[in-house]
């Protein structure tokens, strides 16, 4: 999956960019205040995307 697709999905579900790390961006769910990191690779593994969604408590793609 493209990274842009995941970021769009996160934003649609109320997640916002918290800060930029060295190799990852940190996103926070604005409703639950759960934080997770998202890698900066152009292509992300589908399992990795599902794990990120599950950690943030949003529906998977």
């Amino acid at each position: 999956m493209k990274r842009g697709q995941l970021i769009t999905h996160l934003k649609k579900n109320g997640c916002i960019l918290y800060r930029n790390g060295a190799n990852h961006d940190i996103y926070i769910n604005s409703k639950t205040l759960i934080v997770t990191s998202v890698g900066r690779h152009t292509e992300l593994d589908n399992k990795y995307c599902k794990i990120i969604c599950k950690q943030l408590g949003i529906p998977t793609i």
Side-chain angles (χ1 to χ4, degrees):
M1 167 179 294
K2 297 280 185 187
R3 184 178 185 274
Q5 292 174 321
L6 177 63
I7 300 304
T8 302
H9 178 71
L10 295 178
K11 289 180 180 181
K12 283 183 183 178
N13 287 286
C15 298
I16 55 173
L17 178 65
Y18 182 65
R19 68 178 175 87
N20 294 322
N23 296 318
H24 293 81
D25 292 331
I26 309 300
Y27 279 84
I28 185 169
N29 186 334
S30 59
K31 298 172 188 169
T32 61
L33 302 180
I34 299 172
V35 178
T36 193
S37 61
V38 177
R40 288 204 183 135
H41 304 286
T42 55
E43 282 287 327
L44 300 173
D45 188 41
N46 289 336
K47 288 182 183 179
Y48 180 66
C49 295
K50 288 180 182 179
I51 290 169
I52 290 171
C53 292
K54 186 175 180 181
Q55 288 175 346
L56 290 171
I58 62 173
T60 58
I61 297 174

